Amino acid sequence: MTDTLIPNECKTSDPVENGYFKKGCNPFAQTGRSKLQNKRAHINQQIIKQMRMRAGAENLLKATSNNKVREQVVLELSYVNSDLQLLMEQLEGLNSSVDVYQNVQEMSSIPLIPLGLKETKDVDFSVALKDLILEHYSEDGSNFQAEIDDLMDLRQACRTPSRNPSGVDLLASYFSQLSFLEPRFFSPTRQIAIFFTWYDSFTGVPVCQQNISLEKASMLFNMAALYSQIGTRADRQTQAGLEDAIAAFQKSAGVLHYLKETFTHTPSYDMSPAMLSMLIRLMLAQAQECMFEQITLPGIRNEFFSLLKIAQEAAKVGETYSEVHQSMIQTPIKNNVPFFWTTISELKTNHYNSLAHYFVSTALLDHQLAPSDDEDKQEKALSQLYDTMPEGRSPLDILKDKEERRRIGKAHLQRSIMGHEEAIRIHSRCRHLQKLDILSEILQAGLKRSLTKFEQNDKEDEFTDYMLAPDIISKTEKKAEMEIPAATKVKVKDLFQQLGPLSVFSAKQRWSAPRTIRLRLQDRDLGFTLKGDAPVQIQSLDPLCPAAAEGLKEGDYLVAVGDTECKWLGVSDVMKLLKGADEEGVNIRVVSMLDSSSQPMPTKSATYGGLPKTYSMICLAHDEDDKNPKSRKVAKKPSFLSWGLKNKQKSGSTLSLPNADYNGPWNRPCPTYPSSCNESALY
């Protein structure tokens, strides 16, 4: 079930006392990444504490008419909101700490952006599952304690996955296990007392639901985040490392796309459609950047066609980052994405566009058209570089005119210099970017190279105004594409398969209590026949046979013969057991399928329509308009998440906090506080 726990990667022959972890998990690893995750978890706890304090103060403000009390509460609210703002800035700082995710041996590559793992609270499956097994399946829940422990161990291990394929497999295994758990225990018509709490990766705001789809969606997000961390960790100074990085970022984009298409109306903003679309673009842009580095890693040949090709490849990277930046500055994404992310995407747009102009200028300035050159090929290459040729000149005229080539080449150098200067200015306005010394060195080197080339081709007696170089058409031989990894569909063993085939023994079906019937053979005749795959059903029952007299019904499922469980046995195997009975007969156990439509509906909860409660605190703003309860509009809504089903109803907001203390069990009574936040940004 588990591997021996080795803290801090120390070699030991003995298991660590009171601890073990699964393959792909090391909760004792002391790395920069793990320290960041621990800080994230601490900040999440502080945020939920401050939000509860704010909710209580707002309730007191509405309930009291004492002016002195109201003044004191308003003052306390201002302190709480200030603390929340500081916590949000600290969380943004963690999301901006990209240096600890990079390869430790890399000294000359531009840093990439990883996604941080979503944090969660512990979940105790034990009591709820054992109660349901006893009530719904008429089995002793204590017999499944080992399986429940395995499930809880697996979930706990997923909170600290290792940053390698084994860690991804660990998350995928739990995700696949949830696909068995959902139909087995989670019915759409009744709620089970298991609450899943996850924190928003960008805001730290907690979301609590009884819906297992929140658990599945969050696990997919963490799988995509882990792929992005694997991509940033790859050694981009080698071809193999770049291949790994490209594959990891493409898989991250594929998982995010799968999450976006499969789960709708997610209550956590980091999994909203708009945010996921932006993250997909970011992962693909970083994959495209790695592809550019892969092309340039062996070196760039100082040859006309090679330079034009590299220029268009660089323009493609700049174009993808421009799309990322445009999506980041849209409302409401810009209010949740770290400022560091926005600035570095804008910086890379300018940097790679500047590189494109530099390579074009080098091709025009350093390579003149010689009689031995392929004139038609060069003309075609230059014509495909621009949408519109500079000043309406034909490509062939530019290639043959040395002065015209020099003039256009200098125009491209000017745009390269301006772009690098803009990138350096962007770098200076973000304090988190200023900590990345390697990035500053790369930008300064690019600017210096363009300035040097411009000086080499500048004439002292030249006073002609320079033209504006046209934009370069982006083009790539290999475009980054989303790749849905096979890990999302990894095969695992159903932990609760002892309950029977899932096609029959699921949460949506209802049965009678198991009945024991004494079966006696008459002239080796059973009095009925069997049909179907496991479990087998009774058919063609003779109403006059002894079994029918004892209560056997046609359509009953045969679940045990004597002491042998036969939920997974086919007709031939069951017949062997029955034919092997002696003259005294054998006891069989059967269950009858009941009409599911007669199952009582769950008690109505705090949300509209008797659907499950959703606890979410998604907005930290404190508006004056929210103080007036008459001006607050509450939209009624169904459950946020749906597995494989597009919920087309417009989502609204709920006005309740988690109904238990953060550190206590969920079944502890706690008053429910209305929230003053307008959750219009909730997806």
Side-chain angles (χ1 to χ4, degrees), residues 550-605:
E550 291 198 20
L552 187 65
K553 300 177 182 178
E554 189 161 339
D556 282 350
Y557 286 94
L558 201 158
V559 296
V561 176
D563 295 330
T564 304
E565 294 285 337
C566 56
K567 292 178 179 177
W568 287 95
L569 299 182
V571 172
S572 59
D573 294 326
V574 174
M575 287 300 297
K576 289 180 182 178
L577 293 174
L578 295 176
K579 294 293 185 181
D582 54 22
E583 296 180 355
E584 296 182 359
V586 63
N587 288 334
I588 64 172
R589 275 189 293 126
V590 296
V591 293
S592 301
M593 186 75 69
L594 301 180
D595 185 6
S596 298
S597 62
S598 63
Q599 187 170 353
M601 292 298 290
T603 305
K604 290 188 177 182
S605 61

Side-chain angles (χ1 to χ4, degrees), residues 622-637:
H622 184 68
D623 281 337
E624 293 296 326
D625 294 340
D626 292 332
K627 295 179 181 179
N628 183 3
K630 295 182 179 179
S631 64
R632 190 191 305 113
K633 295 182 179 180
V634 181
K636 297 178 179 180
K637 63 180 295 180

Side-chain angles (χ1 to χ4, degrees), residues 24-81:
C25 164
N26 190 353
F28 287 170
Q30 294 298 315
T31 63
R33 183 183 71 118
S34 65
K35 292 176 181 178
L36 278 184
Q37 285 298 131
N38 291 335
K39 291 179 181 178
R40 186 191 303 274
H42 178 70
I43 291 176
N44 288 336
Q45 295 177 22
Q46 294 298 313
I47 287 177
I48 192 172
K49 178 181 177 181
Q50 294 297 324
M51 295 188 72
R52 283 186 173 132
M53 291 176 62
R54 187 179 69 177
E58 289 171 346
N59 284 342
L60 180 58
L61 189 64
K62 296 171 185 177
T64 184
S65 58
N66 188 310
N67 290 332
K68 290 186 178 180
V69 174
R70 293 180 66 86
E71 290 176 2
Q72 183 67 26
V73 172
V74 170
L75 180 62
E76 293 295 332
L77 273 175
S78 66
Y79 291 149
V80 171
N81 285 322

Side-chain angles (χ1 to χ4, degrees), residues 118-185:
K118 286 173 68 70
E119 288 290 335
T120 183
K121 288 178 61 176
D122 291 337
V123 174
D124 187 359
F125 292 98
S126 197
V127 175
L129 291 190
K130 285 193 287 187
D131 287 348
L132 188 81
I133 290 172
L134 177 61
E135 175 190 348
H136 190 72
Y137 292 98
S138 300
E139 300 261 3
D140 187 355
S142 60
N143 294 335
F144 294 85
Q145 186 62 55
E147 288 79 3
I148 295 174
D149 290 342
D150 283 348
L151 179 65
M152 295 174 63
D153 286 347
L154 181 58
R155 187 183 192 275
Q156 184 65 25
C158 289
R159 299 180 66 175
T160 54
S162 55
R163 190 168 45 171
N164 51 40
S166 295
V168 176
D169 291 341
L170 178 67
L171 299 182
S173 297
Y174 180 62
F175 177 79
S176 297
Q177 198 61 243
L178 291 174
S179 298
F180 287 117
L181 202 67
E182 182 177 21
R184 183 78 76 182
F185 298 111

Side-chain angles (χ1 to χ4, degrees), residues 252 295 384:
S252 179
I295 295 173
Q384 294 177 347

Side-chain angles (χ1 to χ4, degrees), residues 432-447:
H432 295 292
L433 277 176
Q434 293 173 10
K435 299 177 183 178
L436 303 177
D437 296 333
I438 182 63
L439 182 56
S440 177
E441 294 173 5
I442 292 174
L443 296 177
Q444 292 291 347
L447 175 61

Side-chain angles (χ1 to χ4, degrees), residues 198-441:
W198 287 86
Y199 296 89
D200 191 289
S201 179
F202 298 103
T203 66
V205 176
V207 174
C208 176
Q209 281 192 350
Q210 291 173 276
N211 196 332
I212 195 175
S213 293
L214 174 63
E215 182 90 344
K216 297 172 75 174
S218 300
M219 199 54 56
L220 281 177
F221 185 94
N222 276 2
M223 200 184 302
L226 196 58
Y227 270 123
S228 73
Q229 294 177 14
I230 293 173
T232 57
R233 190 188 188 186
D235 184 2
R236 289 151 57 203
Q237 298 304 309
T238 64
Q239 287 286 350
L242 285 168
E243 286 287 349
D244 293 341
I246 293 169
F249 285 122
Q250 291 186 141
K251 289 177 180 177
S252 179
V255 175
L256 291 170
H257 178 74
Y258 180 72
L259 170 59
K260 177 186 172 186
E261 295 298 314
T262 307
F263 296 89
T264 58
H265 300 99
T266 51
S268 184
Y269 187 75
D270 55 359
M271 296 188 291
S272 65
M275 183 64 78
L276 291 177
S277 296
M278 183 277 293
L279 293 177
I280 292 171
R281 291 192 183 98
L282 175 62
M283 295 300 112
L284 291 178
Q286 296 187 141
Q288 195 69 51
E289 183 179 6
C290 292
M291 289 177 179
F292 175 77
E293 293 176 347
Q294 190 179 37
I295 295 173
T296 59
L297 184 63
I300 303 171
R301 293 177 57 194
N302 192 1
E303 187 265 334
F304 182 80
F305 297 107
S306 296
L307 290 169
L308 293 189
K309 173 188 173 183
I310 296 299
Q312 290 188 296
E313 291 282 357
K316 181 64 178 180
V317 180
E319 181 183 70
T320 57
Y321 272 110
S322 177
E323 294 173 354
V324 171
H325 179 254
Q326 289 301 316
S327 63
M328 284 184 178
I329 61 177
Q330 301 298 319
T331 305
I333 294 179
K334 67 178 181 181
N335 299 326
N336 295 282
V337 170
F339 180 65
F340 171 87
W341 289 23
T342 307
T343 50
I344 197 172
S345 61
E346 185 180 7
L347 180 151
K348 289 188 176 184
T349 300
N350 285 277
H351 172 68
Y352 283 103
N353 285 336
S354 298
L355 288 181
H357 286 289
Y358 174 81
F359 290 129
V360 171
S361 69
T362 303
L364 293 174
L365 294 172
D366 294 0
H367 301 279
Q368 302 299 323
L369 185 63
S372 59
D373 293 334
D374 190 334
E375 188 177 288
D376 293 338
K377 188 176 179 180
Q378 286 200 17
E379 180 183 11
K380 180 180 180 181
L382 189 62
S383 65
Q384 294 177 347
L385 191 66
Y386 308 112
D387 281 328
T388 304
M389 297 302 297
E391 298 183 349
R393 302 289 297 272
S394 68
L396 190 58
D397 290 342
I398 295 174
L399 291 172
K400 290 182 177 181
D401 191 332
K402 182 177 180 180
E403 286 301 315
E404 189 66 16
R405 290 176 69 132
R406 191 174 69 86
R407 192 166 73 93
I408 296 175
K410 289 178 65 177
H412 280 290
L413 276 177
Q414 274 195 319
R415 288 199 63 176
S416 177
I417 293 170
M418 292 170 59
H420 281 303
E421 289 176 342
E422 178 65 14
I424 293 173
R425 185 188 69 80
I426 294 170
H427 177 269
S428 64
R429 77 186 188 200
C430 178
R431 60 187 178 91
H432 295 292
L433 277 176
Q434 293 173 10
K435 299 177 183 178
L436 303 177
D437 296 333
I438 182 63
L439 182 56
S440 177
E441 294 173 5

